[in-house]
mmCIF file of all heavy atoms in Angstrom:
data_model
loop_
_atom_site.group_PDB
_atom_site.id
_atom_site.type_symbol
_atom_site.label_atom_id
_atom_site.label_comp_id
_atom_site.label_asym_id
_atom_site.label_seq_id
_atom_site.Cartn_x
_atom_site.Cartn_y
_atom_site.Cartn_z
ATOM 1 N N THR A 227 92.551 112.164 100.705
ATOM 2 C CA THR A 227 91.099 112.392 100.663
ATOM 3 C C THR A 227 90.723 113.666 101.481
ATOM 4 O O THR A 227 89.874 114.397 101.108
ATOM 5 C CB THR A 227 90.278 111.197 101.137
ATOM 6 O OG1 THR A 227 90.517 110.991 102.545
ATOM 7 C CG2 THR A 227 90.663 109.907 100.414
ATOM 8 N N ARG A 228 91.367 113.851 102.588
ATOM 9 C CA ARG A 228 91.059 114.941 103.432
ATOM 10 C C ARG A 228 91.562 116.235 102.821
ATOM 11 O O ARG A 228 90.805 117.236 102.849
ATOM 12 C CB ARG A 228 91.747 114.796 104.847
ATOM 13 C CG ARG A 228 91.105 113.676 105.725
ATOM 14 C CD ARG A 228 91.570 113.766 107.185
ATOM 15 N NE ARG A 228 92.938 113.688 107.368
ATOM 16 C CZ ARG A 228 93.679 112.550 107.448
ATOM 17 N NH1 ARG A 228 93.025 111.398 107.379
ATOM 18 N NH2 ARG A 228 95.002 112.508 107.645
ATOM 19 N N GLU A 229 92.758 116.218 102.165
ATOM 20 C CA GLU A 229 93.266 117.436 101.578
ATOM 21 C C GLU A 229 92.296 117.872 100.458
ATOM 22 O O GLU A 229 92.011 119.021 100.273
ATOM 23 C CB GLU A 229 94.654 117.153 100.958
ATOM 24 C CG GLU A 229 95.752 117.062 102.022
ATOM 25 C CD GLU A 229 97.115 116.607 101.522
ATOM 26 O OE1 GLU A 229 97.101 115.929 100.418
ATOM 27 O OE2 GLU A 229 98.111 116.779 102.152
ATOM 28 N N CYS A 230 91.810 116.920 99.649
ATOM 29 C CA CYS A 230 90.978 117.210 98.510
ATOM 30 C C CYS A 230 89.612 117.858 99.034
ATOM 31 O O CYS A 230 89.158 118.854 98.391
ATOM 32 C CB CYS A 230 90.631 115.968 97.735
ATOM 33 S SG CYS A 230 92.076 115.281 96.882
ATOM 34 N N ASN A 231 89.106 117.328 100.071
ATOM 35 C CA ASN A 231 87.861 117.965 100.630
ATOM 36 C C ASN A 231 88.043 119.363 101.155
ATOM 37 O O ASN A 231 87.259 120.289 100.908
ATOM 38 C CB ASN A 231 87.437 117.098 101.943
ATOM 39 C CG ASN A 231 86.507 116.014 101.482
ATOM 40 O OD1 ASN A 231 85.847 116.178 100.512
ATOM 41 N ND2 ASN A 231 86.542 114.942 102.236
ATOM 42 N N GLU A 232 89.211 119.467 101.893
ATOM 43 C CA GLU A 232 89.520 120.878 102.475
ATOM 44 C C GLU A 232 89.682 121.813 101.314
ATOM 45 O O GLU A 232 89.081 122.914 101.359
ATOM 46 C CB GLU A 232 90.776 120.706 103.280
ATOM 47 C CG GLU A 232 91.000 121.912 104.165
ATOM 48 C CD GLU A 232 92.415 121.889 104.808
ATOM 49 O OE1 GLU A 232 92.908 120.767 105.014
ATOM 50 O OE2 GLU A 232 92.892 122.912 105.082
ATOM 51 N N ALA A 233 90.424 121.420 100.288
ATOM 52 C CA ALA A 233 90.668 122.352 99.157
ATOM 53 C C ALA A 233 89.380 122.755 98.472
ATOM 54 O O ALA A 233 89.134 123.883 98.114
ATOM 55 C CB ALA A 233 91.595 121.688 98.108
ATOM 56 N N LEU A 234 88.465 121.774 98.301
ATOM 57 C CA LEU A 234 87.181 121.993 97.661
ATOM 58 C C LEU A 234 86.363 123.080 98.409
ATOM 59 O O LEU A 234 85.833 123.972 97.803
ATOM 60 C CB LEU A 234 86.331 120.733 97.499
ATOM 61 C CG LEU A 234 84.927 120.915 96.894
ATOM 62 C CD1 LEU A 234 85.016 121.365 95.439
ATOM 63 C CD2 LEU A 234 84.166 119.660 97.031
ATOM 64 N N GLN A 235 86.313 122.904 99.760
ATOM 65 C CA GLN A 235 85.556 123.858 100.529
ATOM 66 C C GLN A 235 86.124 125.277 100.463
ATOM 67 O O GLN A 235 85.342 126.219 100.303
ATOM 68 C CB GLN A 235 85.534 123.339 101.953
ATOM 69 C CG GLN A 235 84.485 122.316 102.174
ATOM 70 C CD GLN A 235 84.680 121.574 103.531
ATOM 71 O OE1 GLN A 235 85.253 122.083 104.456
ATOM 72 N NE2 GLN A 235 84.154 120.310 103.499
ATOM 73 N N ILE A 236 87.469 125.356 100.538
ATOM 74 C CA ILE A 236 88.069 126.676 100.407
ATOM 75 C C ILE A 236 87.784 127.360 99.041
ATOM 76 O O ILE A 236 87.335 128.512 98.988
ATOM 77 C CB ILE A 236 89.549 126.612 100.678
ATOM 78 C CG1 ILE A 236 89.825 126.105 102.121
ATOM 79 C CG2 ILE A 236 90.263 127.950 100.491
ATOM 80 C CD1 ILE A 236 91.285 125.841 102.420
ATOM 81 N N VAL A 237 87.864 126.570 97.998
ATOM 82 C CA VAL A 237 87.678 127.165 96.658
ATOM 83 C C VAL A 237 86.203 127.557 96.498
ATOM 84 O O VAL A 237 85.906 128.619 95.956
ATOM 85 C CB VAL A 237 88.133 126.222 95.555
ATOM 86 C CG1 VAL A 237 87.718 126.754 94.202
ATOM 87 C CG2 VAL A 237 89.652 126.065 95.637
ATOM 88 N N ALA A 238 85.271 126.673 96.978
ATOM 89 C CA ALA A 238 83.890 126.999 96.817
ATOM 90 C C ALA A 238 83.545 128.331 97.559
ATOM 91 O O ALA A 238 82.812 129.212 97.075
ATOM 92 C CB ALA A 238 83.027 125.848 97.434
ATOM 93 N N ALA A 239 84.205 128.500 98.753
ATOM 94 C CA ALA A 239 83.935 129.666 99.556
ATOM 95 C C ALA A 239 84.470 130.939 98.795
ATOM 96 O O ALA A 239 83.835 131.899 98.775
ATOM 97 C CB ALA A 239 84.584 129.462 100.907
ATOM 98 N N ILE A 240 85.695 130.859 98.303
ATOM 99 C CA ILE A 240 86.270 132.017 97.605
ATOM 100 C C ILE A 240 85.498 132.409 96.381
ATOM 101 O O ILE A 240 85.361 133.576 95.981
ATOM 102 C CB ILE A 240 87.769 131.837 97.286
ATOM 103 C CG1 ILE A 240 88.452 133.170 97.003
ATOM 104 C CG2 ILE A 240 88.047 130.916 96.120
ATOM 105 C CD1 ILE A 240 89.504 133.472 97.914
ATOM 106 N N LEU A 241 84.819 131.454 95.725
ATOM 107 C CA LEU A 241 83.993 131.719 94.588
ATOM 108 C C LEU A 241 82.567 132.137 94.986
ATOM 109 O O LEU A 241 81.722 132.486 94.210
ATOM 110 C CB LEU A 241 83.836 130.463 93.693
ATOM 111 C CG LEU A 241 85.141 130.003 92.892
ATOM 112 C CD1 LEU A 241 84.949 128.680 92.359
ATOM 113 C CD2 LEU A 241 85.463 131.052 91.816
ATOM 114 N N GLY A 242 82.334 132.182 96.287
ATOM 115 C CA GLY A 242 81.024 132.537 96.861
ATOM 116 C C GLY A 242 79.957 131.560 96.600
ATOM 117 O O GLY A 242 78.792 131.887 96.477
ATOM 118 N N LEU A 243 80.321 130.256 96.390
ATOM 119 C CA LEU A 243 79.406 129.235 95.984
ATOM 120 C C LEU A 243 79.280 128.092 97.054
ATOM 121 O O LEU A 243 78.933 127.009 96.639
ATOM 122 C CB LEU A 243 79.838 128.648 94.599
ATOM 123 C CG LEU A 243 79.806 129.574 93.434
ATOM 124 C CD1 LEU A 243 80.515 128.870 92.253
ATOM 125 C CD2 LEU A 243 78.339 129.963 93.119
ATOM 126 N N GLU A 244 79.656 128.410 98.238
ATOM 127 C CA GLU A 244 79.589 127.245 99.257
ATOM 128 C C GLU A 244 78.363 126.589 99.385
ATOM 129 O O GLU A 244 78.257 125.374 99.715
ATOM 130 C CB GLU A 244 80.249 127.667 100.572
ATOM 131 C CG GLU A 244 79.642 128.787 101.278
ATOM 132 C CD GLU A 244 80.238 130.116 100.991
ATOM 133 O OE1 GLU A 244 80.131 130.540 99.806
ATOM 134 O OE2 GLU A 244 80.928 130.714 101.836
ATOM 135 N N LYS A 245 77.188 127.305 99.162
ATOM 136 C CA LYS A 245 75.880 126.666 99.305
ATOM 137 C C LYS A 245 75.595 125.775 98.123
ATOM 138 O O LYS A 245 74.896 124.696 98.299
ATOM 139 C CB LYS A 245 74.806 127.780 99.391
ATOM 140 C CG LYS A 245 74.929 128.652 100.548
ATOM 141 C CD LYS A 245 73.701 128.578 101.476
ATOM 142 C CE LYS A 245 73.979 129.100 102.831
ATOM 143 N NZ LYS A 245 74.370 130.531 102.881
ATOM 144 N N GLU A 246 76.027 126.196 96.943
ATOM 145 C CA GLU A 246 75.682 125.373 95.782
ATOM 146 C C GLU A 246 76.607 124.209 95.500
ATOM 147 O O GLU A 246 76.206 123.261 94.803
ATOM 148 C CB GLU A 246 75.750 126.254 94.510
ATOM 149 C CG GLU A 246 74.628 127.293 94.322
ATOM 150 C CD GLU A 246 75.081 128.668 94.593
ATOM 151 O OE1 GLU A 246 75.572 128.859 95.728
ATOM 152 O OE2 GLU A 246 74.954 129.550 93.778
ATOM 153 N N ILE A 247 77.786 124.302 96.000
ATOM 154 C CA ILE A 247 78.793 123.329 95.575
ATOM 155 C C ILE A 247 79.160 122.324 96.666
ATOM 156 O O ILE A 247 79.699 122.683 97.693
ATOM 157 C CB ILE A 247 80.058 123.964 95.085
ATOM 158 C CG1 ILE A 247 79.818 124.609 93.727
ATOM 159 C CG2 ILE A 247 81.223 122.985 94.928
ATOM 160 C CD1 ILE A 247 80.778 125.556 93.256
ATOM 161 N N SER A 248 78.768 121.076 96.443
ATOM 162 C CA SER A 248 78.988 119.977 97.447
ATOM 163 C C SER A 248 80.021 118.966 96.990
ATOM 164 O O SER A 248 80.432 118.129 97.679
ATOM 165 C CB SER A 248 77.655 119.253 97.766
ATOM 166 O OG SER A 248 77.144 118.829 96.498
ATOM 167 N N SER A 249 80.480 119.108 95.708
ATOM 168 C CA SER A 249 81.408 118.100 95.188
ATOM 169 C C SER A 249 82.172 118.718 94.033
ATOM 170 O O SER A 249 81.873 119.715 93.503
ATOM 171 C CB SER A 249 80.694 116.878 94.702
ATOM 172 O OG SER A 249 79.991 117.194 93.537
ATOM 173 N N TYR A 250 83.290 118.023 93.680
ATOM 174 C CA TYR A 250 84.071 118.490 92.504
ATOM 175 C C TYR A 250 83.211 118.372 91.186
ATOM 176 O O TYR A 250 83.367 119.224 90.273
ATOM 177 C CB TYR A 250 85.310 117.630 92.325
ATOM 178 C CG TYR A 250 86.484 117.978 93.233
ATOM 179 C CD1 TYR A 250 86.503 117.538 94.545
ATOM 180 C CD2 TYR A 250 87.472 118.945 92.849
ATOM 181 C CE1 TYR A 250 87.591 117.860 95.403
ATOM 182 C CE2 TYR A 250 88.506 119.319 93.690
ATOM 183 C CZ TYR A 250 88.531 118.788 94.959
ATOM 184 O OH TYR A 250 89.588 119.142 95.810
ATOM 185 N N ALA A 251 82.285 117.416 91.167
ATOM 186 C CA ALA A 251 81.495 117.326 89.938
ATOM 187 C C ALA A 251 80.576 118.591 89.855
ATOM 188 O O ALA A 251 80.440 119.115 88.725
ATOM 189 C CB ALA A 251 80.659 116.085 90.033
ATOM 190 N N THR A 252 79.990 118.987 90.948
ATOM 191 C CA THR A 252 79.096 120.176 90.774
ATOM 192 C C THR A 252 79.913 121.449 90.539
ATOM 193 O O THR A 252 79.558 122.302 89.694
ATOM 194 C CB THR A 252 78.226 120.431 92.053
ATOM 195 O OG1 THR A 252 78.999 120.332 93.203
ATOM 196 C CG2 THR A 252 77.043 119.480 92.144
#
Side-chain angles (χ1 to χ4, degrees):
T227 68
R228 291 195 298 276
E229 288 172 337
C230 292
N231 270 331
E232 197 188 331
L234 176 67
Q235 277 164 27
I236 297 172
V237 173
I240 196 117
L241 290 167
L243 294 171
E244 58 269 67
K245 296 244 162 56
E246 284 106 305
I247 287 167
S248 55
S249 69
Y250 280 87
T252 48

